[in-house]
Amino acid sequence: MSTPYYIPDSNVPLPPADAEVITTACDYCIVACGYKVFRWPVKGGKEGGAAAEDNAFGEDFPVQALGPWVAPNQHNIVLHEGEPHHVVIIPDKDTEFVNTDGDSSLRGGCIAQKCYNPETPTRDRLKSPMMRIYGILQPVPWDFALDIAAEMAKYVIKKHGHNAYGVKTFSYQYIENTYAITKYALRSINTANFTFHDTPSDVSSTPGFRDAGFDNFGPAYEDWMNAETLLICGTDPYETKTILFTQWIMKGIQNGQKAIFMVPRKTAGVAYAEQNGGLWLDVTPGTDLLVVNAIARIIVENGWQDKEWIEKWVNDKWGASSGFGQGTRNTPWQWRTTWGKFQTKGFDDWAKWLLSQDEFKLEAGAEVSGVDAAKIQLAAEMMAKPKGDGSRPKTSIMIEKGFYWSNNTGNTQAISALGITVGAGGRPGQVIGRAGGHQRGGVRGGGYPRNKSPMKLPGRRRRALDTDTWTMAGHTRMAHVIGTTWIQSMLGSQQMSARFHELTRGNPHQIQSINREKILETLKARVDSGGMVLVNQDIYLVDPIGNQFADIIFPAATWGEEDFLRANGERRIRLYQKFYDAPGEAKPDWWIIAQLAKRMGFEGFDWENANEVAEEAAKFTRGSRKDFKESLNKALISVL
Amino acid sequence: MTHETPNEGVMSRKEIAKKVGHKCLVSRRNFLISSGVTTTIMITMNPGTAMAKEVPAQVTEYPRKLIAKMSDLKLDEPLDFTYPDEGEHADSMIVRMGVKAGGGLGPDQDIVAFNYACTHQGGSLMDSYKADTKSLGACPLHLSTYDLTRHGILISGQAYQSLPQVLLEVDGDDIYATGIFGLIFGRKENLHG
């Protein structure tokens, strides 16, 4: 065996002056920076030159710092309308929003490499529908795979009930797809056996924000920059949402912002903050809540809370019990009321409770968390101590998964209370919210049928069905898994993997024919014997859900292969245009879902293209943070 | 302290480029004259076919340039030089690190040379050598940092290519630069800009 080696390129083709330019946005992190795709045919051997008039950028090469350089990783060769084309994908240097300096992260900088090209590792993309016959996944025609899947879905739903058909799907991979998937699962099939990639049940991941009335994505990027003190919990945005840091927070820090990081590791963003007047709270993982409440306690002990804000905007016990928009006024009283549920009678009552808990004393918080008491004290001062002239520092709070995905309810409740205390929330430079992970591409085409979930909370309230335990118990007879690994994610375990094997490949009823009727007979026998049929829809063959357990694989088309919409972390709708052909027979998820739905006899899936799906989905965004109905109306009017 | 106006006081792209970029040491014309050794040889296109014909092929070679003496290299004290020419982004450094490195020269394989232009957006990494971590950075523009013991791979930051490594040869006490591993920021080809 030879040693693998890598020789980097020492030249790169520039787009010629007449290359086509297609705008898009980076697909990776929450920020969704604007990018430009320069495309020109391979045929003819044309290439841009070093002189400004000879290339598409209109700049002389070599370019200066911050100029439109093309790194070899930013070039690729794709098929466009069946013909090989060069593509160069670099950040949009002319953009006025989001990525204001045309910057790019490690991720976005390499995005050209994710395009399908059989010469690169993307050769592993799924290119054809497949079915596991004689234990081996084999290419089959779309019609055949869709027909078998639809017949089995109808059978399972009829014989074993709606909740026997489970849908586990990404929540974010473009509005057109999530709309189609949720319309299919929640409105058409109406199964409670449904959830997104990151939770076993369809629930909020920031319950404390919900209860306090904070929106996850209320803040604008400008607000993060304009805060005078910024507490960042559980993430280093420099690493994970880089441009939000370099184009906004870093400029705030350069302008005197004090950035406080509460993270266990000293990464580059943390080091930068520390060197520029900020602070690192080097918390032991899992002890965040004690630090947050120790800070809150110092603020309350000194009377530094934002009294005017609390007086004017924070509910007393009557307001709290009437609900923050989710209480008796506008939700079915039978199962949802907040009366008495918040266990506090307003700010003073909460402060009394906080002061009565010994674990929130500074010494206790410091000891358990491992953070120096002096640093916790300093953090409280930076966040809330009035300045010499009596004015308050403008303080904002940013959280992300390192913080809210451990001790989820406790941490988000505590940080919300701290946010209320320092006056953060919906004011310029004074905001509280999530930094974000992936972009926001979820639009619901149907409501979750909570009343069909057999799982309950104490009392009469039903809770969303836990798809993990439901499937482990053998109640899922057909699982439709879309763009997520399921088994490895979240509560994943070896036990779950073994159970999936038992329900699928471990069942005696395995496809050993290419005859439609025989296949259906086998799969029906499997589900009737307590087993499960597994359909996996993805862009790569995923282990183990796809390559080990799936009976049917649907190959999906993704970024750059279809027109898509999605929102970024400050609620801007981004358009990702199609600029090259999807590999093989891969199709966008909305198309796959529509084909299945139509075969199952559901109405409302006759979309011709992604735009029709987007237009229908727009209606379901009204009033949400991704509301694009109004902009769509304006766009349609401008066309007319 | 007021922050009301976003980006107030923030320099434009060109202003920053001027501040942090490399000095253009020579004019473009001189740069072209001095860059590389160009020779003309004949190659056969489509050999063995009716279309076979001999055409001149332009082959440009990296210059072999004396850049330092072994005896002048002090531990963790970089020496600057330019390579492969005197044009933009040619500023480079050579350093003896005391730690074995990928592509390292000398008895301890610890002498390496790298281009100074950050491959993210072209900020200058001059004077940013860190002896404790054997790294270059953080870049003044966006903080990218590179590991000089591992062919200039990114440690932290935003660059999507490793820092170009200058290939070295030793002859007695003389160290020569003979090539570059990776594309220099700002250029479309290392030798023709």
Side-chain angles (χ1 to χ4, degrees), chain A residues 6 8-12 14 48 60-67 69 71-74 93 103-106 109-110 222 225-226 228 238 242-243 246 250-251 255-256 268 272 394, chain B residues 1-4 6-7 10 13-14 16-17 20-21 28 62 88-89 119-123 141-144 154 156-161 181-190 193:
Chain A
Y6 167 70
D9 293 316
S10 57
N11 59 61
V12 68
L14 294 182
D60 285 320
F61 274 69
V63 295
Q64 287 198 319
L66 299 175
W69 184 54
N73 268 338
Q74 294 176 311
K93 298 285 177 185
D103 194 4
S104 50
S105 73
L106 172 69
C110 291
E222 206 178 309
M225 177 176 74
N226 288 339
E228 289 169 300
Y238 176 65
T242 308
I243 305 309
T246 60
M250 203 166 156
K251 287 172 182 170
N255 209 8
Y272 184 81
K394 284 198 289 180
Chain B
M1 185 169 64
T2 56
H3 299 271
E4 295 304 335
N7 293 342
V10 172
R13 186 151 76 81
K14 298 264 161 156
I16 301 172
V20 304
R28 178 176 301 278
Y62 283 102
E88 286 188 61
H89 313 298
T119 59
H120 174 232
Q121 302 262 301
L141 279 182
H142 309 101
L143 314 176
S144 288
L154 189 76
S156 167
Q158 293 170 255
Y160 18 89
Q161 303 282 156
F181 204 59
L183 181 61
I184 296 173
F185 174 86
R187 301 188 176 202
K188 73 184 285 287
E189 290 173 274
N190 279 340

XYZ file of all heavy atoms in Angstrom, chain A residues 6 8-12 14 48 60-67 69 71-74 93 103-106 109-110 222 225-226 228 238 242-243 246 250-251 255-256 268 272 394, chain B residues 1-4 6-7 10 13-14 16-17 20-21 28 62 88-89 119-123 141-144 154 156-161 181-190 193:
680
model
N -0.418 14.470 -1.147
C -1.220 15.542 -1.699
C -0.302 16.615 -2.250
O 0.592 17.078 -1.562
C -2.109 16.117 -0.603
C -2.770 17.419 -0.943
C -3.786 17.464 -1.893
C -2.394 18.598 -0.325
C -4.405 18.652 -2.218
C -3.009 19.798 -0.640
C -4.011 19.817 -1.587
O -4.614 20.993 -1.899
N -0.484 20.281 -3.765
C -1.431 21.381 -4.017
C -1.224 21.974 -5.396
O -0.121 21.947 -5.944
C -1.097 22.393 -2.913
C 0.303 22.092 -2.502
C 0.527 20.633 -2.754
N -2.301 22.527 -5.947
C -2.209 23.190 -7.243
C -1.385 24.469 -7.119
O -1.427 25.128 -6.087
C -3.606 23.569 -7.745
C -4.421 22.337 -8.072
O -3.865 21.429 -8.708
O -5.600 22.271 -7.687
N -0.656 24.803 -8.175
C 0.069 26.065 -8.130
C -0.415 27.018 -9.212
O 0.274 27.955 -9.596
C 1.570 25.835 -8.238
O 1.848 25.141 -9.422
N -1.612 26.759 -9.718
C -2.254 27.745 -10.595
C -3.752 27.487 -10.564
O -4.207 26.467 -10.058
C -1.724 27.644 -12.018
C -1.968 26.266 -12.605
O -3.101 25.828 -12.744
N -0.896 25.574 -12.943
N -4.491 28.460 -11.067
C -5.951 28.332 -11.054
C -6.502 29.042 -12.275
O -5.985 30.090 -12.680
C -6.520 28.916 -9.740
C -6.346 30.415 -9.680
C -7.976 28.528 -9.541
N -8.810 31.506 -14.214
C -9.679 32.639 -13.882
C -10.869 32.639 -14.827
O -10.741 32.249 -15.989
C -8.917 33.957 -14.041
C -7.758 34.217 -13.093
C -7.154 35.589 -13.382
C -8.218 34.124 -11.645
N -9.692 33.056 -18.333
C -9.471 34.481 -18.131
C -7.994 34.794 -17.991
O -7.208 33.956 -17.566
N -6.683 43.559 -12.194
C -5.375 43.042 -12.593
C -4.883 42.022 -11.573
O -5.011 42.236 -10.372
C -4.355 44.189 -12.674
C -4.563 45.038 -13.929
O -4.850 44.453 -14.981
O -4.451 46.278 -13.816
N -4.303 40.958 -12.068
C -3.668 39.977 -11.187
C -2.174 40.167 -11.223
O -1.640 40.491 -12.284
C -4.041 38.548 -11.624
C -5.328 38.097 -11.025
C -6.527 38.670 -11.424
C -5.348 37.125 -10.026
C -7.728 38.272 -10.865
C -6.540 36.729 -9.461
C -7.735 37.283 -9.875
N -1.441 39.985 -10.100
C -1.955 39.577 -8.803
C -2.845 40.653 -8.177
O -2.565 41.836 -8.338
C -0.695 39.406 -7.957
C 0.449 39.400 -8.907
C 0.011 40.147 -10.107
N -3.875 40.218 -7.446
C -4.757 41.167 -6.776
C -4.173 41.510 -5.413
O -3.339 40.780 -4.863
C -6.175 40.607 -6.608
C -6.831 40.406 -7.960
C -6.188 39.316 -5.804
N -4.624 42.628 -4.872
C -4.165 43.044 -3.556
C -4.913 42.285 -2.468
O -5.888 41.582 -2.741
C -4.430 44.540 -3.393
C -3.478 45.388 -4.225
C -3.442 46.812 -3.737
O -4.477 47.377 -3.394
N -2.269 47.394 -3.687
N -4.458 42.496 -1.222
C -5.162 41.905 -0.083
C -6.635 42.286 -0.166
O -6.965 43.398 -0.571
C -4.563 42.417 1.215
N -7.506 41.356 0.195
C -8.968 41.492 0.175
C -9.553 41.505 -1.237
O -10.754 41.631 -1.414
C -9.433 42.746 0.929
C -9.072 42.814 2.415
C -9.490 44.158 2.995
C -9.732 41.692 3.192
N -8.717 41.351 -2.232
C -9.207 41.344 -3.609
C -9.820 40.005 -3.983
O -9.789 39.051 -3.212
N -9.301 37.181 -5.204
C -8.415 36.073 -5.550
C -9.220 34.781 -5.650
O -10.241 34.616 -4.987
C -7.336 35.914 -4.467
C -6.313 34.859 -4.793
C -5.562 34.752 -5.920
C -5.935 33.759 -3.946
N -4.733 33.655 -5.834
C -4.943 33.026 -4.635
C -6.345 33.320 -2.676
C -4.352 31.871 -4.110
C -5.755 32.185 -2.148
C -4.761 31.466 -2.866
N -8.679 30.918 -4.934
C -7.847 29.822 -4.446
C -8.186 28.577 -5.256
O -9.326 28.422 -5.701
C -8.124 29.579 -2.961
N -7.213 27.683 -5.486
C -7.525 26.475 -6.264
C -8.756 25.715 -5.745
O -9.511 25.147 -6.529
C -6.245 25.646 -6.133
C -5.163 26.686 -6.014
C -5.775 27.802 -5.198
N -8.979 25.755 -4.429
C -10.161 25.087 -3.864
C -11.472 25.739 -4.276
O -12.541 25.203 -4.017
C -10.090 25.093 -2.329
C -9.415 23.850 -1.799
O -9.367 22.836 -2.482
N -8.908 23.928 -0.579
N -11.382 26.933 -4.855
C -12.617 27.636 -5.233
C -12.994 27.388 -6.687
O -13.903 28.025 -7.210
C -12.449 29.141 -4.955
C -12.318 29.383 -3.456
C -12.053 30.819 -3.091
O -11.172 31.452 -3.654
N -12.802 31.347 -2.142
N -18.040 40.260 -3.569
C -17.288 41.423 -3.086
C -18.121 42.698 -3.156
O -17.683 43.743 -2.689
C -16.009 41.601 -3.924
C -15.036 40.422 -3.827
C -14.303 40.414 -2.495
C -13.399 39.202 -2.354
N -12.779 39.133 -1.026
N -16.027 38.848 2.823
C -15.165 37.912 3.537
C -15.680 36.477 3.320
O -16.773 36.274 2.794
C -15.206 38.273 5.041
C -14.104 37.607 5.834
O -13.256 36.930 5.230
O -14.109 37.759 7.064
N -14.878 35.511 3.728
C -15.329 34.126 3.600
C -14.665 33.294 4.679
O -13.531 33.540 5.047
C -14.957 33.561 2.232
O -13.590 33.816 1.980
N -15.400 32.313 5.147
C -14.870 31.419 6.178
C -14.162 30.252 5.519
O -14.200 30.078 4.299
C -16.005 30.892 7.053
O -16.750 29.943 6.321
N -13.585 29.429 6.357
C -13.000 28.167 5.910
C -14.033 27.329 5.155
O -13.713 26.681 4.163
C -12.519 27.425 7.163
C -12.019 26.002 7.053
C -10.716 25.974 6.313
C -11.827 25.426 8.447
N -15.357 29.375 1.866
C -14.237 29.502 0.948
C -14.043 28.268 0.092
O -13.580 28.337 -1.034
N -14.413 27.113 0.652
C -14.226 25.834 -0.060
C -15.509 25.341 -0.717
O -15.560 24.194 -1.149
C -13.779 24.746 0.916
S -12.140 24.957 1.569
N -26.251 43.728 13.399
C -25.849 45.046 13.863
C -25.955 45.152 15.394
O -25.141 45.818 16.031
C -26.793 46.046 13.202
C -26.264 47.410 13.032
C -27.316 48.270 12.317
O -27.813 47.834 11.247
O -27.635 49.336 12.836
N -23.031 43.762 17.178
C -21.890 44.665 17.089
C -22.059 45.850 18.039
O -21.097 46.313 18.652
C -21.744 45.178 15.647
C -20.619 46.199 15.466
S -20.386 46.691 13.750
C -21.816 47.738 13.505
N -23.293 46.321 18.158
C -23.512 47.564 18.882
C -23.675 47.397 20.387
O -23.835 48.389 21.097
C -24.725 48.301 18.310
C -24.404 48.884 16.943
O -23.231 49.070 16.611
N -25.408 49.154 16.148
N -22.492 47.060 24.113
C -21.261 47.495 24.793
C -20.653 46.331 25.564
O -19.443 46.243 25.726
C -21.578 48.660 25.725
C -21.899 49.931 24.960
C -22.462 51.004 25.861
O -23.517 50.777 26.485
O -21.846 52.065 25.960
N -16.398 32.931 16.129
C -15.294 33.026 15.163
C -15.101 31.694 14.447
O -14.804 31.649 13.256
C -13.997 33.438 15.870
C -12.807 33.454 14.935
C -12.755 34.352 13.882
C -11.765 32.542 15.082
C -11.693 34.359 13.002
C -10.691 32.552 14.207
C -10.659 33.460 13.165
O -9.607 33.449 12.300
N -18.336 32.324 11.378
C -17.163 33.173 11.292
C -17.440 34.612 10.868
O -16.900 35.555 11.439
C -16.181 32.512 10.306
O -16.005 31.149 10.733
C -14.847 33.198 10.298
N -18.266 34.776 9.870
C -18.457 36.130 9.329
C -19.275 36.989 10.297
O -19.098 38.208 10.357
C -19.109 36.066 7.926
C -18.266 35.156 7.017
C -19.273 37.450 7.325
C -16.776 35.466 6.960
N -16.256 38.144 12.300
C -15.263 39.055 11.699
C -15.891 40.339 11.156
O -15.245 41.382 11.165
C -14.476 38.371 10.559
O -15.395 37.961 9.551
C -13.688 37.195 11.066
N -16.315 41.426 15.871
C -14.924 41.882 15.915
C -14.850 43.404 15.769
O -14.062 44.064 16.440
C -14.144 41.186 14.797
C -12.652 41.106 15.013
S -11.974 39.904 13.829
C -10.303 40.479 13.719
N -15.681 43.945 14.906
C -15.709 45.406 14.745
C -16.244 46.071 16.003
O -15.807 47.157 16.379
C -16.541 45.782 13.516
C -15.816 45.448 12.225
C -16.687 45.622 10.993
C -15.907 45.211 9.744
N -16.741 45.138 8.549
N -14.280 48.547 18.582
C -14.910 49.813 18.945
C -15.131 49.917 20.460
O -15.857 50.795 20.925
C -16.246 49.917 18.197
C -16.641 51.341 17.915
O -15.858 52.261 18.145
N -17.855 51.531 17.448
N -14.571 48.970 21.220
C -14.652 49.066 22.678
C -15.602 48.095 23.347
O -15.737 48.095 24.574
N -9.789 30.733 19.196
C -9.217 31.981 18.687
C -10.067 33.216 18.997
O -9.540 34.270 19.330
C -8.995 31.862 17.184
N -8.939 36.451 21.181
C -9.026 37.813 20.654
C -9.779 38.719 21.630
O -9.368 39.852 21.896
C -9.716 37.810 19.281
C -9.757 39.172 18.642
C -8.645 39.669 17.975
C -10.894 39.977 18.726
C -8.663 40.930 17.400
C -10.930 41.242 18.159
C -9.806 41.710 17.492
O -9.830 42.955 16.932
N -25.009 48.970 27.627
C -25.923 48.224 26.750
C -25.416 46.790 26.657
O -24.331 46.552 26.128
C -25.964 48.848 25.361
C -26.780 50.124 25.320
C -27.180 50.491 23.909
C -26.004 50.973 23.097
N -26.372 51.334 21.727
N -19.505 56.008 25.039
C -19.221 55.187 23.852
C -20.487 55.044 23.009
O -21.531 54.660 23.500
C -18.759 53.805 24.310
C -18.322 52.921 23.177
S -17.499 51.417 23.753
C -18.810 50.598 24.642
N -20.420 55.383 21.761
C -21.601 55.204 20.904
C -21.276 54.223 19.794
O -20.163 54.177 19.286
C -22.027 56.544 20.255
O -20.908 57.067 19.554
C -22.484 57.562 21.286
N -22.261 53.438 19.476
C -22.066 52.457 18.400
C -23.187 52.597 17.392
O -23.482 51.673 16.685
C -22.134 51.035 18.958
C -21.102 50.728 19.969
N -19.871 50.237 19.645
C -21.126 50.818 21.310
C -19.182 50.031 20.755
N -19.911 50.375 21.770
N -23.858 53.731 17.385
C -25.118 53.806 16.644
C -24.931 53.543 15.150
O -25.745 52.890 14.527
C -25.787 55.167 16.854
C -26.239 55.410 18.298
C -27.173 54.324 18.824
O -27.841 53.661 18.021
O -27.210 54.124 20.058
N -23.468 51.655 12.194
C -22.692 50.457 11.874
C -21.531 50.807 10.952
O -21.651 51.677 10.092
C -23.704 49.539 11.184
C -24.817 50.417 10.750
C -24.832 51.601 11.661
N -20.427 50.138 11.180
C -19.253 50.266 10.309
C -18.639 51.662 10.331
O -17.819 51.985 9.482
C -19.591 49.886 8.860
C -19.914 48.418 8.770
O -19.574 47.641 9.653
N -20.600 48.022 7.722
N -14.851 52.277 10.132
C -14.248 51.066 9.591
C -13.667 51.382 8.221
O -14.301 52.029 7.410
C -15.314 49.953 9.474
C -14.746 48.766 8.734
C -15.791 49.550 10.855
N -12.200 48.459 1.960
C -11.401 47.318 1.519
C -10.049 47.786 0.992
O -9.003 47.227 1.343
C -12.197 46.594 0.435
C -11.616 45.333 -0.056
C -12.725 44.407 -0.536
N -13.289 44.784 -1.832
C -12.728 44.479 -3.002
N -11.571 43.854 -3.025
N -13.297 44.798 -4.119
N -10.040 48.827 0.171
C -8.784 49.291 -0.428
C -7.851 49.888 0.635
O -6.638 49.712 0.584
C -9.076 50.347 -1.514
C -9.897 49.804 -2.671
C -9.041 49.366 -3.849
C -9.832 48.443 -4.703
N -9.732 48.145 -5.946
N -7.729 49.110 3.818
C -7.134 48.026 4.620
C -6.036 47.343 3.815
O -4.958 47.051 4.317
C -8.203 46.993 5.044
C -9.305 47.675 5.859
C -7.572 45.877 5.867
C -10.482 46.781 6.156
N -6.322 47.128 2.533
C -5.339 46.451 1.674
C -4.016 47.195 1.688
O -2.949 46.604 1.781
C -5.884 46.349 0.256
N -2.331 46.613 5.278
C -1.828 45.304 5.688
C -1.209 44.499 4.554
O -0.597 43.475 4.790
C -2.939 44.449 6.338
C -3.548 45.184 7.500
C -3.983 44.061 5.322
N -1.398 44.932 3.344
C -0.918 44.140 2.216
C 0.593 44.252 2.057
O 1.275 44.949 2.794
N 5.260 46.203 -12.607
C 4.808 44.971 -13.233
C 5.761 44.514 -14.334
O 6.011 43.336 -14.512
C 3.406 45.176 -13.786
C 2.834 43.974 -14.518
C 1.415 44.235 -14.936
N 0.580 44.525 -13.769
C 0.065 43.574 -12.998
N 0.275 42.320 -13.271
N -0.658 43.889 -11.966
N 11.033 27.431 -11.829
C 11.289 28.257 -10.661
C 12.770 28.626 -10.620
O 13.623 27.782 -10.912
C 10.938 27.492 -9.385
C 9.454 27.430 -9.106
C 8.721 26.274 -9.380
C 8.808 28.525 -8.547
C 7.364 26.217 -9.106
C 7.452 28.473 -8.281
C 6.735 27.322 -8.561
O 5.397 27.273 -8.280
N 4.410 41.192 -6.378
C 3.495 41.248 -5.251
C 3.379 39.898 -4.545
O 3.373 38.854 -5.185
C 2.119 41.712 -5.724
C 2.118 43.204 -6.024
C 0.726 43.719 -6.308
O -0.129 43.616 -5.419
O 0.509 44.200 -7.427
N 3.278 39.973 -3.261
C 3.092 38.800 -2.403
C 4.272 37.825 -2.483
O 4.104 36.632 -2.273
C 1.794 38.052 -2.729
C 0.606 38.951 -2.863
N 0.152 39.715 -1.822
C -0.215 39.207 -3.916
C -0.912 40.413 -2.236
N -1.153 40.125 -3.501
N -3.319 33.067 3.005
C -4.083 32.575 1.852
C -5.580 32.804 2.004
O -6.350 32.420 1.139
C -3.829 31.079 1.597
O -4.201 30.367 2.780
C -2.388 30.807 1.266
N -5.980 33.425 3.110
C -7.401 33.764 3.240
C -7.709 35.015 2.418
O -8.397 34.941 1.407
C -7.767 33.966 4.718
C -9.154 34.460 4.919
N -9.441 35.557 5.688
C -10.326 34.015 4.437
C -10.747 35.753 5.676
N -11.303 34.837 4.925
N -7.142 36.179 2.845
C -7.435 37.407 2.115
C -6.171 38.225 1.856
O -6.263 39.408 1.578
C -8.436 38.255 2.910
C -9.752 37.542 3.211
C -10.865 37.900 2.259
O -11.246 39.046 2.134
N -11.367 36.915 1.562
N -5.014 37.597 2.042
C -3.789 38.275 1.641
C -3.139 39.193 2.663
O -2.236 39.944 2.332
N -3.596 39.136 3.893
C -2.933 39.935 4.940
C -1.491 39.472 5.111
O -1.157 38.312 4.856
N -5.693 40.629 9.667
C -7.021 40.870 9.095
C -8.104 40.051 9.793
O -9.065 40.580 10.319
C -7.025 40.525 7.596
C -6.468 41.571 6.637
C -6.599 41.058 5.212
C -7.223 42.883 6.780
N -7.985 38.731 9.771
C -9.061 37.894 10.323
C -8.527 36.728 11.162
O -9.206 35.726 11.324
C -9.944 37.330 9.212
C -10.454 38.361 8.244
N -9.890 38.549 7.004
C -11.460 39.257 8.336
C -10.544 39.519 6.375
N -11.491 39.962 7.158
N -7.307 36.822 11.654
C -6.779 35.922 12.691
C -6.385 34.512 12.236
O -6.215 33.621 13.067
C -7.770 35.795 13.869
C -8.396 37.100 14.406
C -9.418 36.788 15.496
C -7.327 38.025 14.941
N -6.246 34.251 10.951
C -5.818 32.905 10.535
C -4.393 32.626 11.025
O -3.543 33.518 11.023
C -5.868 32.746 9.013
O -7.213 32.671 8.596
N -3.648 25.075 8.204
C -4.337 26.011 9.084
C -4.513 25.404 10.482
O -4.943 24.260 10.617
C -5.714 26.320 8.491
C -6.509 27.438 9.155
C -5.952 28.788 8.756
C -7.972 27.340 8.768
N -6.063 27.513 13.003
C -7.344 28.123 13.352
C -7.535 29.282 12.404
O -6.568 29.934 12.006
C -7.299 28.615 14.804
O -8.392 29.465 15.070
N -8.782 29.525 12.025
C -9.009 30.666 11.162
C -9.842 30.356 9.958
O -10.702 29.477 9.999
N -9.572 31.056 8.865
C -10.507 31.044 7.752
C -9.918 30.593 6.426
O -10.644 30.446 5.459
C -11.062 32.460 7.568
C -11.927 32.888 8.727
C -12.264 34.353 8.660
O -11.730 35.148 9.387
N -13.150 34.715 7.773
N -8.604 30.423 6.368
C -8.002 30.120 5.072
C -8.438 28.751 4.564
O -8.623 27.824 5.336
C -6.489 30.169 5.188
N -8.553 28.659 3.253
C -8.990 27.393 2.652
C -7.889 26.774 1.809
O -8.126 25.914 0.988
C -10.277 27.570 1.840
C -10.561 28.998 1.473
C -10.061 29.554 0.313
C -11.318 29.795 2.344
C -10.313 30.871 0.014
C -11.564 31.118 2.043
C -11.064 31.654 0.877
O -11.305 32.965 0.574
N -6.685 27.268 1.986
C -5.507 26.615 1.419
C -4.418 26.723 2.477
O -4.387 27.685 3.235
C -4.983 27.354 0.173
C -5.975 27.534 -0.953
C -6.183 26.309 -1.794
O -7.202 26.156 -2.425
N -5.222 25.404 -1.795
N 5.330 25.129 -3.000
C 4.304 24.097 -2.813
C 2.998 24.817 -2.487
O 2.798 25.271 -1.366
C 4.780 23.253 -1.624
C 4.244 21.861 -1.568
C 4.453 20.960 -2.595
C 3.557 21.421 -0.447
C 3.981 19.661 -2.512
C 3.096 20.124 -0.356
C 3.309 19.241 -1.397
N 2.131 24.997 -3.482
C 0.876 25.724 -3.257
C 0.896 27.073 -3.945
O 1.952 27.618 -4.245
N -0.310 27.605 -4.229
C -0.444 28.863 -4.972
C -0.376 30.059 -4.025
O -1.044 30.090 -3.000
C -1.778 28.875 -5.737
C -2.085 30.104 -6.595
C -1.060 30.303 -7.701
C -3.484 29.986 -7.199
N 0.450 31.043 -4.382
C 0.598 32.269 -3.585
C -0.672 33.111 -3.698
O -1.232 33.271 -4.796
C 1.818 33.082 -4.088
C 3.109 32.289 -3.868
C 1.897 34.447 -3.406
C 4.332 32.940 -4.497
N -1.083 33.683 -2.580
C -2.271 34.541 -2.582
C -2.152 35.625 -3.652
O -1.077 36.200 -3.851
C -2.496 35.212 -1.217
C -3.627 36.205 -1.279
C -4.932 35.769 -1.097
C -3.419 37.529 -1.614
C -5.998 36.662 -1.221
C -4.482 38.433 -1.750
C -5.759 37.988 -1.548
N -3.277 35.916 -4.264
C -3.341 37.036 -5.197
C -2.955 36.700 -6.614
O -3.277 37.430 -7.537
N -2.254 35.571 -6.800
C -1.757 35.225 -8.133
C -2.642 34.162 -8.781
O -3.311 33.413 -8.091
C -0.328 34.685 -8.035
C 0.645 35.690 -7.403
C 2.076 35.217 -7.490
N 2.957 36.254 -6.961
C 4.250 36.362 -7.263
N 4.822 35.489 -8.068
N 4.980 37.330 -6.748
N -2.582 34.121 -10.096
C -3.269 33.026 -10.785
C -2.293 31.894 -11.097
O -2.688 30.759 -11.276
C -4.004 33.503 -12.034
C -3.156 33.872 -13.225
C -4.004 34.414 -14.370
C -4.760 33.315 -15.097
N -3.870 32.493 -15.943
N -1.014 32.261 -11.180
C 0.053 31.268 -11.290
C 1.210 31.799 -10.464
O 1.425 33.005 -10.440
C 0.533 31.125 -12.736
C -0.445 30.478 -13.670
C 0.084 30.553 -15.097
O -0.153 31.559 -15.755
O 0.764 29.605 -15.517
N 1.961 30.929 -9.864
C 3.060 31.421 -9.032
C 4.082 32.222 -9.834
O 4.647 33.186 -9.349
C 3.766 30.258 -8.348
C 3.015 29.806 -7.118
O 2.198 30.558 -6.571
N 3.263 28.580 -6.686
N 2.277 35.620 -12.045
C 1.308 36.481 -11.378
C -0.071 35.944 -11.586
O -1.044 36.581 -11.412
